[in-house]
Every structure is written in C-alpha cells, then in structure tokens.
Amino acid sequence: MALRIAITAEPIPSHVSALDYVICPAVEQGHRVTLHAPPVFRREARLRGAGFRGAGTEWTCDPAVQRAASEVWRRHGNAAFNRYVFGGLWPGQAEVKARDLLTAWSRERPDLVIAECSDLGAHLAARVLELPLLAADNGLGPVLLDLWDAHVAPALLPLHKRYELDPPALPPMLGPAPMHWFHGEREIPPPPSARVVRRTLAPFRTVPAEGPVPALTLRPGRPLVYVSLGTLTTAMSGLRRVAGEAYREIMAALRAIDCDAIVSAGDLAGRLPSGSPHIRVVRHAPQPALLHRADLFVTHGGRASLLDAVQGETPVLGMGVLGDQPGNTAAFVRRGLGRALGIAAGHEAIADALTDLLDTPGYGAAMSAAGAELARLPPLDFGEIRGMLGG
C-alpha cells in the first residue's frame, strides 16, 4: 500500500543528500513523498522525484547568524559552538517550522513523518497531530544526544508547554550505519533506534564522470587523492579564511608527495592556484563516483562524506571542523579506517599522514571490511516501520 510520507530537512547545504537513504527508497517503492523544507531545497526535491512544500526559513544563510556562530567557534572552540547552535539557535527556530508544518499536515495528514533528527519543529508538529514519527539521523544524532538534557530539552520546554505536550524527548531514530560506529565509546549510549538500514544515494550522485575531472590526466602508478572540506565551511563567511588556509596547507602537502589530486573547494576554488599540473582544483566534483576510484580521501568528516568513503573503500584523513565532524573522524580512527588531524595542521604533518595512509595496506583492508558491514544492513521497509510506530 502506498503511503503519504512527509520528510523534513533543515537549511544546511548537504542535509538533503544526507537523507537520501530515506528519500530514495520511498520514491522507488512508489510512496507519495513530500519534502517539507526551506525553499533552498526545492530543486533537490525535484532531482529526487519527490514533491516539495516550503516550511521554515533559510535562517542559516543569514550572514549575521553565520558571523556570530563562526565567532563562537573561533573564540571558544567546537563544544561551545555546538551548545550555541544546536542547544540555542536550533530550538529557537523550532516554532516557525512547527507552525508551517501544522498548517500543511492539518490540510493533508501524512501516514508517516520522517524528520531530520535536528528538525525540532517537525518533531513538535508531529506530536501535536499525533502522527507516527521517526527521526532520521543526519550525523547530528550524537551531538544532540550529548546536549539534550542540559541544553536542548530545557530550551524546548516552554514551547512544548504552550502546545500542552509532554516534555521534549528525541523520537525513535533511523540511521544509515551501524550505531556503534559513531556512538561507540561515548558516555551516553545511543538513542532508541527503530531501525538501522541500508544506505542509498540519489542516482544522479552516483553517475561516474567520463574522467575524474576534465583537464587532469592521471599518471600510471600514482595514487589519486581526493580532497573536500565540505560545503558548510566554504558557505559560512566567518569560516572561509580558516577553510582557505587548510586547503593551502593540504595542497602544499600534496605537492610534496608523488600523487595526483582533485581538490573540491566550492566558492574558494578560484582563490586556490594548484601550483602543479597534477593537482586540479574545482568547485564541485562527483564525490561518490570519485571515491570508487580514489586511493585516499582528505575530508572534513561529515557523516555523509565518511559513509561515501566507506562505500568507495577509500581510507580517510579526517580534518574535522565543527559540529559532529571531529567526533566522526575520531570514531573512524578508532576503527582503523584512517587518521585525523586538526584543521590547523601544517603541510608537513599533513604530508606525513598522507604518506602513512598511502603506504599502509591495513587502512584499505579495514575500509573493505567496513564496506561489507555497511552493505549487509537491511533495506528500508516503510510499512514495517509505520506498524512499529503504531500508525
């Protein structure tokens, strides 16, 4: 039976891609899927064959918000940044999103809501209307869990009281990777999980390029290194300088070793001369396809990027910046899937790490084992999940 499935996303550039493991199976199985998100994601919904309904604002794109959050990160570090953003700004936006969703879902009631784990307004709206609700982990699940009791729940409590709801709690969660990968060795155990399911990608993201990137000729016998520090660091004005310096140090390290490289740098690409015919700097690259060809991935450590690496069986050098990224890269190091350095690491330390990763077969073997574990996860069964939630 086809279901009316409402999926929600918050305005972070990569967040719809992070939900492909939910959106793509729902569309492929013939369910009626609507993405409820800020207008910036209208095109992303169309590319995936889903309907679209505007909900919430593009508040993360506000330059003042970006400057303030970047300044907290620069002055006080990532833990303070997470408290400020996910324990303060995010709950503060929940009411606007909830109002839009209450209007939409009162007119056409969905059979199932799958909301981003960080979409606190969607959680509230689903509870007000008593809809079956599941939180899709976009990578921020561990961060929210760490902040929940001391920061997130207290910030949401007045809003929940206004709607005469029980105190806020994280809904049952859905994830695209084994829980112990990212929640293991944490003081707080994983949240209740309705299901860990197979990870899928939107088809247009997996189409191989004719070559890795035009104007780069791969040399026989040389390893290929792919570099991307993600979309958020280059999109946030206050972090562009930090990201630019990191890219320059990485590229200096690449020039010091015998490799070919593709550097995906978003809006910074035009400011980063490669200095080598064997290093190609581009705005964007077909990441999942490239990671099936690359020998090493230098990454900011976003959850989706790390899982792209696992599916490509490509070891990583993680240089986590903010949010969940440092914790993600530390988790991969513990599993032997790569190495990690701070975002301010110099080119000599980066070159040493790249050389070690390229010369040590154990990293590749660990990635192959992780890829096999990921592939064994069961497919997403929406009817079963709806039944589990009492829908």
Side-chain angles (χ1 to χ4, degrees), residues 229 233-234 239-249 268 272:
L229 297 181
T233 51
T234 57
L239 288 178
R240 286 193 190 116
R241 183 185 62 80
V242 174
E245 287 301 316
Y247 274 116
R248 291 182 185 94
E249 293 296 323
L268 292 175
L272 297 172

Side-chain angles (χ1 to χ4, degrees), residues 18-19 21-22 114-118 134-144 172-177 179 182-183 191 303 307 324:
L19 295 176
Y21 75 99
V22 175
I114 302 182
E116 273 195 298
C117 63
S118 53
L134 199 61
D137 193 349
N138 54 16
L140 293 174
V143 174
L144 288 175
M173 291 186 73
L174 185 73
M179 278 288 172
F182 297 100
H183 287 272
R303 174 80 64 93
L307 295 181
D324 59 313

Side-chain angles (χ1 to χ4, degrees), residues 247-266:
Y247 274 116
R248 291 182 185 94
E249 293 296 323
I250 292 166
M251 290 166 64
L254 293 170
R255 290 193 291 270
I257 65 176
D258 193 16
C259 70
D260 296 324
I262 297 164
V263 179
S264 176

Side-chain angles (χ1 to χ4, degrees), residues 39-61:
V40 67
F41 288 139
R42 187 183 302 273
R43 178 175 178 272
E44 297 293 327
R46 185 174 67 250
L47 286 171
R48 290 162 173 81
F52 180 82
R53 186 73 179 264
T57 66
E58 296 172 3
W59 63 274
T60 60
C61 301

Side-chain angles (χ1 to χ4, degrees), residues 134-152:
L134 199 61
D137 193 349
N138 54 16
L140 293 174
V143 174
L144 288 175
L145 191 65
D146 288 345
L147 297 175
W148 193 266
D149 289 339
H151 300 279
V152 181

Side-chain angles (χ1 to χ4, degrees), residues 52-324:
F52 180 82
R53 186 73 179 264
T57 66
E58 296 172 3
W59 63 274
T60 60
C61 301
D62 183 335
V65 171
Q66 293 184 357
R67 284 194 298 271
S70 300
E71 188 67 8
V72 170
W73 180 86
R74 188 182 69 83
R75 287 180 175 272
H76 305 292
N78 190 52
F81 172 89
N82 286 346
R83 290 192 296 271
Y84 177 74
V85 174
F86 304 113
L89 295 182
W90 228 279
Q93 294 293 320
E95 185 171 12
V96 175
K97 186 69 169 287
R99 284 201 304 263
D100 289 346
L101 294 174
L102 285 168
T103 298
W105 294 344
S106 295
R107 290 173 179 167
E108 185 173 17
R109 187 179 178 88
D111 299 307
L112 174 64
V113 173
I114 302 182
E116 273 195 298
C117 63
S118 53
D119 194 343
L120 306 172
H123 301 173
L124 184 144
R127 285 176 173 137
V128 169
L129 296 174
E130 298 183 342
L131 297 169
L133 168 66
L134 199 61
D137 193 349
N138 54 16
L140 293 174
V143 174
L144 288 175
L145 191 65
D146 288 345
L147 297 175
W148 193 266
D149 289 339
H151 300 279
V152 181
L156 289 172
L157 189 57
L159 184 58
H160 276 242
K161 286 183 177 178
R162 196 178 312 159
Y163 283 94
E164 299 182 348
L165 294 175
D166 291 336
L170 272 173
M173 291 186 73
L174 185 73
M179 278 288 172
H180 65 273
W181 283 17
F182 297 100
H183 287 272
E185 300 185 21
R186 302 178 71 89
E187 292 183 7
I188 302 174
S193 178
R195 183 74 70 226
V196 175
V197 299
R198 187 173 303 160
R199 184 174 190 254
T200 54
L201 301 174
F204 72 89
R205 296 190 65 230
T206 63
V207 176
E210 292 182 3
V213 167
L216 178 69
T217 301
L218 298 182
R219 297 171 294 166
R222 268 67 169 191
L224 174 62
V225 179
Y226 172 58
V227 180
S228 173
L229 297 181
T231 54
L232 188 57
T233 51
T234 57
M236 290 180 67
S237 57
L239 288 178
R240 286 193 190 116
R241 183 185 62 80
V242 174
E245 287 301 316
Y247 274 116
R248 291 182 185 94
E249 293 296 323
I250 292 166
M251 290 166 64
L254 293 170
R255 290 193 291 270
I257 65 176
D258 193 16
C259 70
D260 296 324
I262 297 164
V263 179
S264 176
D267 293 341
L268 292 175
R271 308 178 194 175
L272 297 172
S274 76
S276 168
H278 309 303
I279 301 173
R280 174 70 170 165
V281 183
V282 298
R283 286 176 59 88
H284 303 289
Q287 179 167 294
L290 273 175
L291 288 173
H292 282 276
R293 302 188 62 178
D295 299 284
L296 178 60
F297 181 24
V298 182
T299 173
H300 63 304
R303 174 80 64 93
S305 289
L306 290 176
L307 295 181
D308 283 346
V310 171
Q311 290 182 307
E313 299 186 6
T314 308
V316 300
L317 172 58
M319 299 181 70
V321 183
L322 44 73
D324 59 313

